[in-house]
Each structure stands twice: as C-alpha cells, then as structure tokens.
Amino acid sequence: MSSPRVKPATARPAPPTPLLYLLIKSSIVFFLFDFFSIIVTHHSSPLDVLPGVTEWTSWFNIDHPGGNGDYERLEAIRFYYRERVCSRPIAMEARTTDWVAAADTGEVVHSSLEKGFWCINKEQPQGRICSNYHVRFQCPPVQSYWTDWSEWGPCSTSVCEDVGIQVRQRKCVNTQPMPLLLVPACQGHHSERRECSNPPCTAKWSPWGRWGTCSVTCGGGRRIRRRTCVRDSAPVHCAGRPVEIQKCGKGQCPAKCQIVCTEGRPSEDCSRCVCEGHVLHGEVHTVTNVPVVGAWVALANQPKVIRARTDAKGRFRLPGVCSSSSTLISIRKEKFAPITVSTSSNTTGLSWVHAVLKSAEKPYIVKHPEDKVRYEGARVLFCCKATGSPIPDKYYWFHNGTLLDRKVYKYEEDLVLRDLKLEQSGQYYCKTSSPAGSIKSSPALLTVIAKGTPACNSTPETHFVRLPPDCVQPGIDSMFYNAGRCPHNKCAGSLDFDMRCRDGDGFCCGVQSMESRTIDCGSYSLPIRAVTQCTCQKCLQPTVLVRGRVVTADNNEPLRFGHIYIGKDRVGTTGYQGSFTLKITPDTQRLVVNFVDPTEKFLDTPKVFIFDRKGGSIYHDVKVMRKQTPIDINAGETNSISLGEMIGEDPIGQLVIPPNSFHKDNGEIYEGTVKASVTFIDPRNITTAAAAPGDLNFVDNEGDMLPLRTYGMFSVDFRDETNKDVLGAGAVQVLLDTQHVKMQEHIPKMKLWSLNPDTGVWEEESDFSYTTTTGGHGRSKREERTFLIGNMEIRERRLFNLDVPENRRCYVKVRAYMSDKFLSSEQLEGVVISLINLEPKPGYSSNPRAWGRFDSVITGPNGACLPAFCDAQRPDAYTAYVTAMMGGEELEAAPSSPKMNPNIIGVSQPYLDKIDYQRSDHDDPALKKTAFRINLAKPNQNNLDETNGPIYPYQSSIACENAPVDANHFRFFRVEKDKYEYNVVPFEENDLTTWTGDYLSWWPNPQEFRACFIKVRIQGQKEVMVRSKNLGGTHKETTGKLYGIRDIRSTRDMREANTSAACVEFKCSGMLFDQAEVDRSLISVLPQGNCRKIGTNNLLQEYLIKHPPVAQNNESNAFTMLAPVDPLGHNYGIYTVTDQNPRLAKEIAIGRCFDGTSDGFSREMKSDSGVALTFSCPERKINRESLFQRLQTNPGQTLSQMARDMRESEGLQVQRSSTRVVAYPSEQRTGSRRVSSTTRRRVSMRTQQRQ
C-alpha cells in the first residue's frame, strides 16, 4: 500500500506581493529545504526525519533466504513494482518478517540507497541462515535534484592520433510543478568535459570470406575467396593480396541422365520426373481428424528441402509432382511423429495425399534384459525392445556403464556374448533413441562362474527361527535356533537352450537335503527340520499378485465395476467395494495400471504399482479424484477457468481458452455450448497426494528416469452439450501465479507436462514465459501480479502437470519389524513404505505447507530406501510424511513422545534433533500412530554424526541399500501382540521362494495356499492365550509328527461383558506336497490357564462323528479333532480360505472369523456368532493374603514377622555354607522348621501361580 498523501488546502486568491517580500520568502524556503536535505540524507534511523517532509513507500519482500541469502535489490524492486519507488530514495528501513529491526538480529547485513539491502548466508556466525527481510524506502514529496549523468558524447575529433574533447550533461528536475522562485535550484554544473584521444592509425586485413561456388560441377574449374583491408586513414595500407584462387570440380563428369519420364522431364539432379503445371494436393490431420497447421512437407529423398507448409485447414499444394508415378512425401511437425506417405492418382490426372500425424511419444522399454548366470566359455543372449512414436530405431548396449563397440559385438536390439570370460561379469543395459527422445532399460546382472567352481554354495547360510515363548534351551537361554537356509539366488544349471531372452524357469540355489533335529525346551522337546545342504535346482516361480481397493480421495466411495487396463489391454474389473486383483507376468519390470470409470464420475487414473517379485501379495489403497461438476461455457468467447481447490485461498493458476478453439472429432470447429469439467489436484491439500496419477517421473535426454516436483495437476473434460461427444481444444494457455512458487529457483525451470497413460511417464508439453497482469481475485486494482504462461493443445491426452525437475535428492532408510522389540532377525519384507514430500519452509502465511511428490517402495531383507527431496542449507526446507502398510494393515511407527528415545526411534543424537522426528500422535494422543514426520536435512559429509544414515545423499544409493542393521534408520512395527507361529519346516510367508517340499511343510503347495481357522469363545474376565498343536493324523509319513504350533491371545468382545474369542489357525487337512495321499491333521486346541471346555458346536461334532476316525476328547481343558477335509463354514465355527498368497488367505479367513460369517469381514470380535468351541476360564481365587494386603490390615505384626523371617533366612544360609556341625538352641530349631514351612508354602504358591 502506498503512503498517505497530504491533502492540498483549498485554493484562494493571493493578494499582490511586493518583490522584496518574495525574495525574502524564497530565501527562507531555500534555507529550510537545504536544512532538511542535510538531515534526511544522512540520518541513520527513519525516526530522525521530520514528519510531513518525506513519505515512506510500502514494504517490499521479493526474495526469501534460500540459496545464498536474502537479496532485496532496488533494481529488482523497481522491475516488479515500477513507479512505487522514487528515483532517489533518501532513507531505507529493513525488518524481518517477524518485525525485528535488522540491527537487532545480530546478523551481518549490507545496505545501500543505490543498490538496496542484502544478507549473505555464508557470512553469518555459527552457520546461521539469514532471516527473511522486507524493506521500505523514504522519498521526499517535493524536491529538486540532478538526473543521472548522460553517457560521454563522442570525441570532437575522428582523426587517428589526435586529441579532442568529450562532453556529458545532466538536468535539474523537480518532482512537482511550482512557481520558479519557490523551487530551490540544484547545486553544481549541468555539464562536464574531459579530454579524449584516438588510437594510432592502423591497417589490417579482415578474415577471409567463404569460398565462392565452383565455376563448374565437374571436369575442373576454379573458385575465389576475398578479404578486405580495414584501415583508419587513407595513407595507411595492408600488405598482401585481397584475392585467393583455388582449383575445384576435379571429378569426372557423370554420364547424361538416364531416367526416362513417361510424363514431364527429369529433374536437375536426375532423381525424379518433374511435370510443369501439375500440382499435388494434400491434407494433414491428427488422429482425431483435427487439421495440422504449419506442418513441413518435403520429398522423401530430399527431406531437408522444405517444399510446402500446411495452411489453417491442414492443406498444402506441391507443384511439379507427376501423376503417372507414385511419389513418397515426407511430412513432419514438432511434437508429432514424422511420417512418409505415398501419393495417389486417378485417371483424370489428379494427384493427392492424405496424411495422419500421431502425437510424438518418447521411447518406452517393453522388454528389459534379465539376469543371467553362465559358466566360463558359455554364451548368453540379452534382449531389449522399445516402443514409441516414432518407433525407436537405434539401440546401444552398455557394460558397467561403458558403451560396447557396435562393430565388435554386432548388436541391434539383442546382444549376444560368446565364449564368456570372467571379466565380462557385471551389469548390462540397453539405451534406445528416436527423434522424440531416449530411454534406458533396467540393468541386468551377468554372473560368470569359473570352470570347476560349484554353481551353488552347498553350505547353508545362517537363519534363526524364533522358538515358542515357553521354550528356553537349557544352558544357552536362547529363544532362537539356527535352522539354516539356502539363498534363492540364480545359479548356472543345465539349460535345454541357452539363447532365449528369458531362461524359462531358470536355476536357483535350493535345498538338497534336510535333517530332523530335536530342540530341548526344558520341560518338553520340539522337533525341527534343518537345512544341511544346498544345490542348484530349477527355480520356484511364485505367483506375483497385486491387490487393492479403489476409492475416491474425498469420502472413500468405491469405484464399482471400473475397467482396469494395462497398456491398451483391458485386464479386469473392480468389484462392488472397489477391490481388484492382478496377476503379474514374471518379465514385468514396470507395472502401469489405468483405472477407468465407465460412469465417468471419477477421473481416469493411471497408477504405477510396485510389486514383490518373491511372490508376496502387495496391497495398494488406490485413491482417485472425483470429477468436477461441469460448467457451461460459450465456445465463441474467451473463457477462463481457475485452477485451485482451496477454500479461502487464491487459485494457483487458470486456463485461458481463446474463442473458436474447440473442435469435434472430425475436425469441425464447434460453436455451441461446452460442458467443461476441469479437475485440479491441489498440492496444498495433502489428502490429494495419494490420488496423483503416474509416479511423477520423466525421462531426460540421456534416457534416465528422474523425479519431478509438482505445483498442481489437472484433468480436462470438454463435451458437446447435446450429444456429450468429447471435444478437443487448440491454443489453450495455462497461467501459473508465481506467488505460489516460494522457491524462486524453480520459476525458470517450470514446465508444462502431459501424462502418457500407457507408460505412466510425464512428457514435456511446453516451457513457460513471463507475463504481468493487474488486479484480479479481490486484490487491489493497482497491484501487478506475475504469471508464467504455457501453451498446449488438448488432443488425445487429458492429464497435465505443472512441474519442475528437482536435483536436491536424498534417500531415507526405513525398516519394518514384527514387533516393537525391533529385533534384527524379525524384519518384515513386502511392506509398502510411502513417503510424501512436503514443502516449502513453514512461515509463509500465504501458502500452507503443500505436498510436492509421492513415492512408495517395498521392504526387502535389508529394509527399504525411499527417494525424497532434501536441502543442505535449511533442515526444514523439505519435510516428509512417511507411512507403512502390509496387506491392507497399517503398521505403527516408533513413538516420539513423551520423550524421544534414540534407541527406539533408531536414530542417534544429535542428528535426531536436526531431523525433528515426530510421530503422528506427537501433539495429540488421540490421533493414529501409523505415520511419522521428519525434516529432510541433507547429511553433511564432513560431520561424522551424519554419515551413518538414516538420510543418504542421492549418490550414495548403494550405501543406503547395503547399510548394516545397526546403522541409523527409521522404524515401523506390526501391532500383533501375543501372537506366535512355529513351523517344523521353516517358511517365510512374505518370501514364497523359501518354500521347501517336505512331508511336514505347513503349506504343501507353493502355488495354492489354504488357510484354516477355528473360532474359540472364552468366558472369563481376562483374555487368555489359546494354542493349536498340529500333528500328522492319517498319513503314514506324518502320523504323530508335529507340523507346527500356533498361539493367539483372545480378543475382547466390546459388546458383551466378561467374554472374548480367539481365531486360532490350524493345519488344514488335504494332500501333502507329493499330491499322493490325504492327511487328516490331528489338531489339539488348548487354552492356557484355568480353563474348562463347556460347549462344542453341534454341527461340527456331528460332522466329526460322521467322518471317522474320531479323535478322543477325554480332557476337559482341551479339544482334539481330526481336521475336516471339507471347507466348512461359519455354521461349524470353521473358516477356510484358499488363495495364491498365504498372508492374504489368512487375512481374509481372520476377517470372516471375527465377523462370524462366511463372506463378511470385520476387525471387531463378535463372540456370539460362528463359534466352534466354548471354554470357561474363571480367575483363580487367592487363598492367602498377599504381602500388600497384610501390610494394610495389620502392619505392625507383618513387619515383625518379616524381620524374623529375614534373620532366620540368614541363619539358614550360614548353615548351608558351613561344613561344621553346629548345635542350635531349641527355639532356633523351631525357627528353622518355621523357615522350612514358610519355604514350602512359598513353593506351593508359585506352583499354583504357574498353573
């Protein structure tokens, strides 16, 4: 806002004034003016200036302290705000945005009335960063001043080695028109002179010009080139000749043109026939039949010679083309794939051509090279294939980053290596290019094994199995046992054919032999099958699944019966609740899935899914945006549509559509009413982050996939009002308000992108340019705003993005664990870790914290490394919001309150304070505990505390991936208290490749997993542990042998008092791994504690009787049965689910068990539905008062008794430690007997407590 102006007094006629009075008055005015000028121009504080003489400008803040510092340059302020600052300010004031004067901040700052104000980060003490300053200037309302000196005029003489005079001038200017005598004169001279001289006279030759054309094209001729003498004076001359002659055209002249033209004559270069007066007519359209304007037309044999350009209707005329023969025409235009078409003619002699241009699409790899293992001297084939528009035609192969010589290896799409040597091991990848761009494939690892070396290490690696809670091995007091395992890495087996792109099933290290061992658990023994030897065998190919649910981002409404596409192929449909399941082919490297709503209520949303190659079923909670309600716009007018969904905030930008820009599919201009729906994904709303289409990556010119930081995405849907046909639009402008770009370094790099729905990759549409507008959106009409303008055409693609490439990148190390004990042996694989980048730095009132990127990765055996944006100067310039999900279940993050514990969080001090770790419930315990927020402070490699994670520089990705488990990392854990699973044959359900074919394997088939649960109701005040002991029942190889143990604590029924229930897993009956004979597993269900069976499901009991043999049930505290072979339902209290993934089968079965139905799902226990067994588990009554109770009822006697017991215990210890026989008085012997009696009572009490 401008400073208040002084309101002029009402004018009235002045009486005649004597000349002497005027002279005296003018002298006083001149005196006062000079006096005030001296005060204003030398004052150090704005408060020193007399009020009413000067006025202050509004406050200016055009920079923030990012990068090198805070720069409030006077030149830049004048550029943005033009007339708001006077040409000669006399004072300046600087304050921080928190209203602290610059002198009080303790920072090193600089100021100048000619340059402005600036603060440099590296000059600040103790590594501080400059504050964010704004400034204002003081200007005199009435003053006379000199203008700046003009440039020096030319020298008065032009003769070389002569002396002359130069003059420059300035003017005396006053800011307001006033009578002459009242305006003080400017002090000084209005002109200056200085002596000047010219250099000595010179003469030199200019550079040689180009050679002229040869006098002949063949048979010998000459050509000439010239140069000019450049001199200062006529008497001076250049030495040498101004002309040079050279022989040329030495080649022999060709024979006379042999081409025979049935029509017309041969062309001058004898390449074609030319028909004078004949014209080729052509039309060029897009695939949507829209005319292509400005396309270049050339002959295919001379593509660089442009012979015509298409007009506004996409038409062109090409004279001289004969109709008697077909001619190839080349047509190209920027952002379109070039095309070559053949002309057509009819009997009338007319020639025409109709061309259709497709939008250019960058190359995309559809077949990647795969890992191979070979022996020395063998051969190998790597394959690579890419698609795009135009189709890529150049392939390059690299080994460990070095380009392979095409002449030596003679490769194209495929690379063949023969007679392999050890040094040829390493990574291989291909790079392909087309006129639209380049892309690199995923790297493939080639392992070359020396001759005579075993293909697989026969010694199993260490693998610890957690034992049951009541199993403590005597002597070592350990809860773990090393069962061994074979690494599932590829090995060199005997292939039937070694020159395939993919080695079929391939060979991997697997189990060759196992042995049965017995673990001593103290009170009982536990069998286990341990790996003793590994060998190279055919790989187990697990089924790779991607599952999830598609819902809207605003209210979780499911996408019902939505169409699912992978590329151009429709592969499935979402269910009624929006659920979906996709089976992934083994050669898939990048999974791009497009969800299309046939009802057109939701946006078509392409997603790039991560998946687990080891066969784990990954669950994705997919969010889609609801389409904006269409508005009516007139196609014949200029229309402006705002981009921004935040209530109470300015839009981020707007679409400007010129009149008559809409067109139909046939290319006709549409002139009616348009139903326009523009849906904007606003980064200021964090709930929209999960709905971002694609994965916010682009491919640079070198073919590398790099990340983008978004400032908003939008989808456009324009339709004909009458028949709802989709309309296109040309010459659409996109305006981005720069006030929302708080990182000024992003403005020059901002681009407009469109999403390729088949590849999920963003491709560049256009750059942005600057423009300035005035007023708008409720602002002052005089305020100017700066916009970035981009241009686009709306053709096939309808998803667009306002993005910048960001090179400030890091990796964040995250691990997931089975429990909050965070044991390294209990890390979880297959957990989806998601990270949302948030920016910019807090403190900008006009811009709430916004998200800029969304990434997800899957944890492996060594955790996961998530890409993220980071900043080295300001720790909180970028922050991150991190979550973890496993099979649709959210994992809990390490707590940060009431006090941050580095040992729990996993990050040491002082780096933890710099990162400012906070779990989502840090400030409000009522919030969920399933996420954490951190500052993404880029580690300082010169600080030892920051070189051990959890944040790694982008160049240190390998260090992040291979970081040891004791290095800094962030943690999530699964909230599964009091749950335990033990398998005699060890198996990790999150890695299906660990499956071993054995009669005692819990899961007999690695391609199909059947989960069985029985529902047990507990009547009692407390929850109890319920165990299922699973033995072989009827199979000759497994009878009486243990399959495994399952422990689970019952879950309280919140609707019924003193009641809980447990869903206990048991070993399903069925075929074993050899698929030869059925085994009915012998199941024992044992609640732990003082429990008694009081009820059995009648239908279950009847089924067991009718399907002998029948297990004996003589014990009242347990239930034993031979597991049913049939998949019984909730009416029996048995829940059976079969799936291609074990974890998912168990999740579904548990959900049905909790709900007590055969098709429902619940996480709240319903103990009155679908129950198989009922146990009564009352609390044991305490027959003797505890020490605490006795102290309350009779403290004096209790303390006396405690003192006697302590003295007697000391005497008893002395007696046991001495070898001498000591005679005790009778009262002491009585005491000893009392001690023994007391000891027996204590032992009895401990025994009761154990029971």
Side-chain angles (χ1 to χ4, degrees):
M1 57 182 290
S2 59
S3 301
R5 298 183 178 276
V6 179
K7 193 171 184 179
T10 304
R12 55 184 178 183
T17 306
L19 178 59
L20 180 59
Y21 173 78
L22 288 176
L23 290 175
I24 296 173
K25 184 176 180 181
S26 62
S27 300
I28 295 174
V29 171
F30 271 86
F31 171 78
L32 291 175
F33 185 86
D34 289 341
F35 173 76
F36 288 137
S37 298
I38 293 171
I39 294 177
V40 171
T41 54
H42 293 83
H43 77 286
S44 60
S45 169
L47 299 178
D48 296 338
V49 183
L50 295 178
V53 177
T54 60
E55 60 180 8
W56 287 95
T57 66
S58 57
W59 292 94
F60 302 104
N61 186 358
I62 62 170
D63 192 17
H64 66 88
N68 296 327
D70 193 7
Y71 294 86
E72 308 297 337
R73 296 286 192 182
L74 187 56
E75 181 181 0
I77 292 173
R78 286 201 176 102
F79 175 78
Y80 285 111
Y81 297 98
R82 304 286 173 94
E83 303 300 332
R84 289 196 183 184
V85 183
C86 54
S87 59
R88 292 176 178 271
I90 57 175
M92 173 175 55
E93 182 179 8
R95 289 181 178 271
T96 69
T97 52
D98 296 326
W99 207 247
V100 179
D104 299 333
T105 61
E107 297 175 1
V108 179
V109 297
H110 308 271
S111 64
S112 168
L113 290 177
E114 291 77 22
K115 297 182 180 179
F117 177 89
W118 63 97
C119 176
I120 302 174
N121 285 337
K122 65 182 181 181
E123 294 181 354
Q124 306 311 313
Q126 301 178 353
R128 290 177 54 183
I129 301 300
C130 292
S131 301
N132 191 10
Y133 288 92
H134 52 188
V135 298
R136 64 174 183 171
F137 299 91
Q138 197 174 30
C139 300
V142 179
Q143 61 173 339
S144 295
Y145 60 90
W146 289 112
T147 62
D148 291 333
W149 286 104
S150 65
E151 297 294 332
W152 286 103
C155 195
S156 60
T157 179
S158 59
V159 180
C160 50
E161 294 188 85
D162 196 4
V163 178
I165 296 176
Q166 282 181 296
V167 180
R168 67 174 181 177
Q169 296 179 336
R170 60 179 177 175
K171 294 181 180 180
C172 183
V173 179
N174 59 295
T175 59
Q176 292 185 2
M178 295 182 64
L180 178 62
L181 293 177
L182 296 181
V183 178
C186 301
Q187 299 295 322
H189 299 285
H190 73 280
S191 64
E192 277 188 353
R193 297 188 179 194
R194 71 176 183 184
E195 186 180 88
C196 59
S197 61
N198 291 330
C201 299
T202 59
K204 62 180 180 178
W205 290 109
S206 67
W208 284 103
R210 293 184 178 181
W211 287 102
T213 57
C214 193
S215 58
V216 295
T217 57
C218 60
R222 66 175 188 173
R223 61 179 181 175
I224 299 174
R225 69 173 180 177
R226 303 176 185 276
R227 60 179 177 176
T228 305
C229 181
V230 181
R231 52 186 179 175
D232 298 331
S233 181
V236 185
H237 299 279
C238 300
R241 286 187 281 182
V243 177
E244 249 187 9
I245 300 174
Q246 187 182 64
K247 293 182 179 180
C248 62
K250 298 178 181 179
Q252 292 184 354
C253 293
K256 188 176 180 181
C257 181
Q258 300 297 322
I259 188 171
V260 178
C261 296
T262 57
E263 183 183 3
R265 60 174 178 80
S267 61
E268 293 182 359
D269 59 356
C270 198
S271 62
R272 61 189 180 92
C273 293
V274 177
C275 294
E276 303 290 348
H278 187 268
V279 178
L280 169 67
H281 297 270
E283 289 184 341
V284 183
H285 292 82
T286 66
V287 292
T288 57
N289 211 29
V290 177
V292 177
V293 182
W296 295 342
V297 182
L299 299 175
N301 57 357
Q302 295 177 329
K304 295 184 179 180
V305 181
I306 307 303
R307 299 185 179 273
R309 299 190 70 171
T310 56
D311 58 17
K313 294 184 178 181
R315 299 173 181 170
F316 67 89
R317 299 171 72 253
L318 200 60
V321 177
C322 298
S323 61
S324 59
S325 60
S326 178
T327 304
L328 294 179
I329 304 297
S330 174
I331 303 173
R332 66 183 189 272
K333 187 186 178 184
E334 187 180 3
K335 297 183 182 178
F336 287 90
I339 188 174
T340 300
V341 293
S342 177
T343 62
S344 301
S345 303
N346 58 20
T347 55
T348 62
L350 294 177
S351 298
W352 70 92
V353 64
H354 181 76
V356 177
L357 290 185
K358 295 182 179 179
S359 296
E361 294 181 357
K362 287 198 171 186
Y364 181 70
I365 302 291
V366 294
K367 181 186 289 184
H368 296 259
E370 300 199 10
D371 295 349
K372 303 287 181 74
V373 181
R374 294 289 189 272
Y375 276 112
E376 186 179 8
R379 60 182 183 175
V380 70
L381 170 69
F382 289 115
C383 300
C384 182
K385 186 176 181 180
T387 185
S389 181
I391 299 294
D393 55 356
K394 296 180 181 178
Y395 287 83
Y396 307 91
W397 281 94
F398 294 79
H399 175 219
N400 292 336
T402 302
L403 178 64
L404 297 178
D405 190 342
R406 188 186 301 272
K407 295 180 180 179
V408 175
Y409 293 93
K410 298 179 173 59
Y411 60 76
E412 289 297 335
E413 295 182 6
D414 302 335
L415 173 66
V416 178
L417 302 176
R418 293 181 171 84
D419 191 20
L420 288 171
K421 311 232 174 356
L422 295 177
E423 57 268 19
Q424 288 181 287
S425 295
Q427 285 189 340
Y428 289 83
Y429 69 87
C430 78
K431 176 182 176 181
T432 181
S433 61
S434 74
S438 303
I439 194 169
K440 295 177 182 176
S441 71
S442 300
L445 179 64
L446 174 62
T447 304
V448 181
I449 303 174
K451 293 180 180 179
T453 304
C456 181
N457 186 0
S458 61
T459 304
E461 62 184 20
T462 301
H463 176 59
F464 287 100
V465 175
R466 187 161 63 101
L467 302 178
D470 56 350
C471 178
V472 180
Q473 303 173 75
I476 60 176
D477 195 27
S478 173
M479 297 290 294
F480 295 89
Y481 186 84
N482 180 17
R485 69 177 174 187
C486 299
H488 190 75
N489 52 0
K490 290 193 174 184
C491 54
S494 299
L495 298 171
D496 57 350
F497 185 63
D498 58 357
M499 293 296 284
R500 292 191 180 98
C501 292
R502 190 169 186 272
D503 286 342
D505 292 340
F507 285 81
C508 302
C509 288
V511 176
Q512 182 180 20
S513 61
M514 303 178 75
E515 67 177 12
S516 297
R517 298 177 185 172
T518 301
I519 303 173
D520 184 4
C521 293
S523 59
Y524 67 95
S525 297
L526 191 67
I528 191 170
R529 297 278 288 166
V531 179
T532 57
Q533 192 168 8
C534 302
T535 188
C536 188
Q537 55 187 241
K538 282 195 173 183
C539 296
L540 172 67
Q541 295 295 332
T543 302
V544 181
L545 299 175
V546 170
R547 302 176 185 266
R549 184 167 177 255
V550 187
V551 296
T552 57
D554 53 359
N555 62 0
N556 287 335
E557 179 184 348
L559 171 59
R560 294 189 172 101
F561 313 118
H563 298 169
I564 305 175
Y565 290 86
I566 295 181
K568 304 293 184 184
D569 302 324
R570 180 176 168 184
V571 296
T573 305
T574 60
Y576 183 77
Q577 295 297 331
S579 59
F580 66 91
T581 301
L582 299 174
K583 185 176 179 180
I584 310 305
T585 57
D587 58 345
T588 302
Q589 292 285 338
R590 178 178 168 89
L591 179 60
V592 182
V593 182
N594 195 4
F595 296 95
V596 177
D597 178 18
T599 66
E600 299 180 352
K601 289 169 43 182
F602 310 140
L603 291 185
D604 296 348
T605 306
K607 289 286 185 179
V608 180
F609 285 145
I610 53 176
F611 54 93
D612 190 355
R613 296 187 179 280
K614 295 181 179 180
S617 177
I618 300 301
Y619 184 90
H620 292 276
D621 193 10
V622 181
K623 302 289 186 181
V624 296
M625 293 292 291
R626 190 184 303 275
K627 280 187 178 180
Q628 279 289 351
T629 304
I631 60 173
D632 293 340
I633 61 176
N634 188 340
E637 299 177 354
T638 299
N639 295 281
S640 178
I641 302 175
S642 296
L643 301 176
E645 304 295 330
M646 297 294 289
I647 298 175
E649 296 287 340
D650 288 339
I652 286 181
Q654 58 185 347
L655 291 183
V656 179
I657 307 171
N660 303 318
S661 294
F662 293 100
H663 54 76
K664 301 179 182 179
D665 283 344
N666 60 7
E668 278 183 38
I669 299 297
Y670 179 75
E671 298 178 347
T673 301
V674 178
K675 290 285 186 181
S677 172
V678 177
T679 306
F680 188 69
I681 301 177
D682 199 323
R684 296 173 295 182
N685 182 1
I686 194 173
T687 61
T688 64
D695 59 356
L696 280 176
N697 286 327
F698 78 103
V699 178
D700 69 357
N701 294 331
E702 294 299 319
D704 294 308
M705 195 166 288
L706 301 175
L708 291 169
R709 180 261 191 257
T710 185
Y711 280 92
M713 309 177 192
F714 60 94
S715 171
V716 296
D717 186 14
F718 300 136
R719 294 182 182 266
D720 187 335
E721 182 187 31
T722 55
N723 54 23
K724 307 302 181 186
D725 287 344
V726 177
L727 301 175
V732 178
Q733 284 189 333
V734 182
L735 274 68
L736 173 62
D737 192 344
T738 56
Q739 69 161 329
H740 297 289
V741 185
K742 297 303 177 183
M743 296 186 175
Q744 297 297 313
E745 61 272 22
H746 284 174
I747 292 179
K749 298 188 293 183
M750 190 74 64
K751 295 179 183 293
L752 179 64
W753 310 77
S754 64
L755 181 66
N756 187 328
D758 296 332
T759 66
V761 176
W762 293 92
E763 298 181 8
E764 184 179 337
E765 279 285 325
S766 72
D767 292 318
F768 280 94
S769 57
Y770 281 94
T771 187
T772 303
T773 62
T774 304
H777 303 294
R779 295 174 173 264
S780 170
K781 292 183 178 180
R782 295 183 178 180
E783 184 170 352
E784 292 183 345
R785 301 170 64 191
T786 303
F787 285 87
L788 295 176
I789 293 184
N791 298 300
M792 67 177 186
E793 294 181 10
I794 299 174
R795 299 189 295 268
E796 301 93 342
R797 298 182 185 177
R798 299 296 168 118
L799 275 168
F800 301 92
N801 201 349
L802 309 169
D803 275 17
V804 292
E806 176 61 277
N807 55 11
R808 292 177 291 182
R809 293 174 284 163
C810 290
Y811 284 103
V812 179
K813 187 72 173 184
V814 181
R815 300 179 189 269
Y817 295 87
M818 294 182 184
S819 68
D820 56 1
K821 296 178 182 178
F822 304 118
L823 300 177
S824 60
S825 59
E826 295 185 350
Q827 291 193 69
L828 291 173
E829 297 184 44
V831 178
V832 179
I833 311 291
S834 298
L835 183 148
I836 304 176
N837 261 111
L838 303 174
E839 68 264 347
K841 180 181 176 182
Y844 297 100
S845 60
S846 62
N847 185 33
R849 183 172 290 276
W851 65 272
R853 184 170 175 81
F854 183 92
D855 282 286
S856 296
V857 296
I858 298 178
T859 57
N862 197 35
C865 292
L866 288 98
F869 297 147
C870 59
D871 192 271
Q873 300 296 324
R874 294 173 295 152
D876 57 353
Y878 279 110
T879 64
Y881 184 82
V882 187
T883 60
M885 182 174 288
M886 184 176 185
E889 171 194 354
E890 293 180 304
L891 273 63
E892 195 167 300
S896 59
S897 61
K899 182 181 179 180
M900 281 202 298
N901 188 337
N903 295 324
I904 294 178
I905 296 173
V907 182
S908 60
Q909 294 285 21
Y911 200 20
L912 181 59
D913 285 337
K914 184 176 181 180
I915 294 172
D916 191 23
Y917 175 93
Q918 290 187 5
R919 195 168 70 175
S920 47
D921 66 337
H922 183 83
D923 297 320
D924 186 357
L927 296 178
K928 296 171 70 174
K929 306 175 182 180
T930 54
F932 65 82
R933 184 198 62 78
I934 56 172
N935 291 337
L936 290 167
K938 186 175 182 178
N940 181 359
Q941 297 304 300
N942 295 323
N943 187 342
L944 186 62
D945 296 327
E946 300 181 11
T947 57
N948 195 33
I951 301 177
Y952 294 83
Y954 191 75
Q955 297 79 8
S956 304
S957 60
I958 296 178
C960 180
E961 294 289 349
N962 299 331
V965 71
D966 58 350
N968 288 339
H969 62 275
F970 298 108
R971 294 169 172 174
F972 284 94
F973 62 93
R974 197 171 189 182
V975 186
E976 281 193 353
K977 297 182 179 178
D978 301 323
K979 178 179 178 181
Y980 174 74
E981 298 178 356
Y982 174 77
N983 296 322
V984 171
V985 180
F987 173 66
E988 299 172 36
E989 293 176 354
N990 55 3
D991 184 359
L992 303 189
T993 61
T994 61
W995 181 86
T996 304
D998 192 275
Y999 282 107
L1000 293 178
S1001 296
W1002 185 274
W1003 307 98
N1005 186 352
Q1007 303 295 334
E1008 185 177 78
F1009 298 88
R1010 188 181 183 198
C1012 297
F1013 285 79
I1014 183 170
K1015 191 169 184 177
V1016 181
R1017 183 179 182 183
I1018 305 295
Q1019 293 182 352
Q1021 295 180 356
K1022 294 184 177 181
E1023 299 91 344
V1024 300
M1025 293 292 295
V1026 183
R1027 168 173 289 184
S1028 73
K1029 191 175 181 181
N1030 304 266
L1031 306 173
T1034 59
H1035 196 286
K1036 61 181 179 180
E1037 297 289 343
T1038 61
T1039 302
K1041 296 181 180 179
L1042 184 69
Y1043 284 113
I1045 295 173
R1046 298 292 187 268
D1047 289 342
I1048 187 69
R1049 184 173 291 279
S1050 61
T1051 303
R1052 175 69 58 192
D1053 187 342
M1054 305 307 296
R1055 306 169 304 161
E1056 190 172 347
N1058 299 328
T1059 305
S1060 61
C1063 294
V1064 187
E1065 184 185 8
F1066 64 89
K1067 174 71 171 67
C1068 301
S1069 294
M1071 293 285 187
L1072 298 186
F1073 86 102
D1074 60 0
Q1075 301 295 307
E1077 186 179 343
V1078 171
D1079 181 28
R1080 289 191 64 186
S1081 310
L1082 181 63
I1083 311 301
S1084 297
V1085 179
L1086 305 108
Q1088 307 295 305
N1090 182 32
C1091 296
R1092 180 173 54 89
K1093 183 179 64 178
I1094 61 174
T1096 304
N1097 186 294
N1098 292 331
L1099 291 176
L1100 175 62
Q1101 195 165 11
E1102 182 180 350
Y1103 175 90
L1104 296 175
I1105 293 173
K1106 290 182 178 180
H1107 295 79
V1110 179
Q1112 293 184 354
N1113 271 296
N1114 297 328
E1115 299 181 7
S1116 62
N1117 64 336
F1119 174 78
T1120 305
M1121 69 173 180
L1122 286 170
V1125 178
D1126 301 317
L1128 306 181
H1130 69 284
N1131 291 328
Y1132 297 80
I1134 303 294
Y1135 302 86
T1136 306
V1137 174
T1138 302
D1139 195 85
Q1140 294 172 314
N1141 182 269
R1143 287 191 316 197
L1144 190 66
K1146 292 166 69 170
E1147 289 291 334
I1148 296 173
I1150 291 173
R1152 294 177 180 177
C1153 180
F1154 269 61
D1155 194 54
T1157 61
S1158 294
D1159 56 359
F1161 188 89
S1162 175
R1163 281 300 185 189
E1164 295 182 2
M1165 180 60 74
K1166 301 175 182 178
S1167 62
D1168 56 349
S1169 303
V1171 177
L1173 305 172
T1174 303
F1175 285 85
S1176 175
C1177 300
E1179 287 191 272
R1180 287 184 180 273
K1181 294 183 179 180
I1182 300 176
N1183 299 323
R1184 181 183 177 189
E1185 287 184 325
S1186 66
L1187 175 62
F1188 181 73
Q1189 290 171 329
R1190 284 185 287 146
L1191 283 171
Q1192 285 185 321
T1193 56
N1194 195 344
Q1197 183 179 354
T1198 302
L1199 291 173
S1200 300
Q1201 181 65 39
M1202 289 175 62
R1204 286 195 297 271
D1205 288 346
M1206 291 173 65
R1207 288 194 296 270
E1208 291 167 359
S1209 293
E1210 292 175 359
L1212 183 62
Q1213 292 174 3
V1214 171
Q1215 180 183 10
R1216 288 177 176 174
S1217 62
S1218 176
T1219 58
R1220 292 181 299 173
V1221 178
V1222 180
Y1224 286 92
S1226 59
E1227 56 185 11
Q1228 288 185 352
R1229 286 197 299 272
T1230 303
S1232 297
R1233 285 194 296 271
R1234 285 200 300 270
V1235 170
S1236 300
S1237 175
T1238 303
T1239 304
R1240 283 196 300 272
R1241 285 198 299 271
R1242 290 173 181 167
V1243 172
S1244 176
M1245 282 296 296
R1246 293 193 191 103
T1247 305
Q1248 290 180 1
Q1249 290 172 1
R1250 288 196 189 101
Q1251 295 175 351

